[in-house]
Amino acid sequence: RTKQAPTFDMVKDLPLLFIACFKIRGSEYSDCVVMWTAFLIMLSVIGRSSCMSKYCPLIEDIDFPDGPGGYDADRLPKKVHIPWRNWKSRKNHVGEKYFI
């Protein structure tokens, strides 16, 4: 059996992640909002804390809207596409992006 990452503790870890997200050097505030939004969306899609560390999509894989028309007045994306890689060990898509 392979060693798993520690389970994501919502109460303890979420505030720490929020602080860390908004302290990223060289990032504009709007970039931090986009990253935080993406994380919250992923969290709600995945749902189970044990899946956060094992199956979480990479931020690099998320497709954000192109251009200002894809964001609302608060600079939050109107929609994002979240592709998965090897979700729940589905062997027929290993290494490929696919959507659920």
Side-chain angles (χ1 to χ4, degrees):
R1 183 177 172 134
T2 59
K3 185 178 178 184
Q4 286 185 294
T7 301
F8 180 76
D9 182 335
M10 184 79 73
V11 174
K12 182 182 81 161
D13 297 332
L14 199 59
L16 297 174
L17 287 169
F18 178 84
I19 291 167
C21 179
F22 284 87
K23 285 188 175 182
I24 296 173
R25 284 195 171 154
S27 294
E28 298 288 327
Y29 179 79
S30 60
D31 293 333
C32 295
V33 170
V34 169
M35 288 184 283
W36 187 247
T37 301
F39 173 74
L40 293 177
I41 291 168
M42 288 187 291
L43 184 61
S44 65
V45 169
I46 291 170
R48 289 180 34 201
S49 59
S50 62
C51 292
M52 276 302 293
S53 54
K54 190 169 182 179
Y55 302 109
C56 187
L58 300 175
I59 190 79
E60 295 85 8
D61 287 342
I62 297 174
D63 296 325
F64 291 97
D66 291 327
Y71 296 86
D72 65 17
D74 293 322
R75 293 275 302 138
L76 297 174
K78 293 179 181 176
K79 66 178 182 176
V80 295
H81 294 117
I82 304 173
W84 307 92
R85 294 180 188 263
N86 200 26
W87 175 251
K88 301 285 185 175
S89 302
R90 293 184 180 152
K91 303 295 182 203
N92 57 335
H93 292 287
V94 173
E96 300 174 25
K97 288 184 183 183
Y98 68 101
F99 299 89
I100 296 178

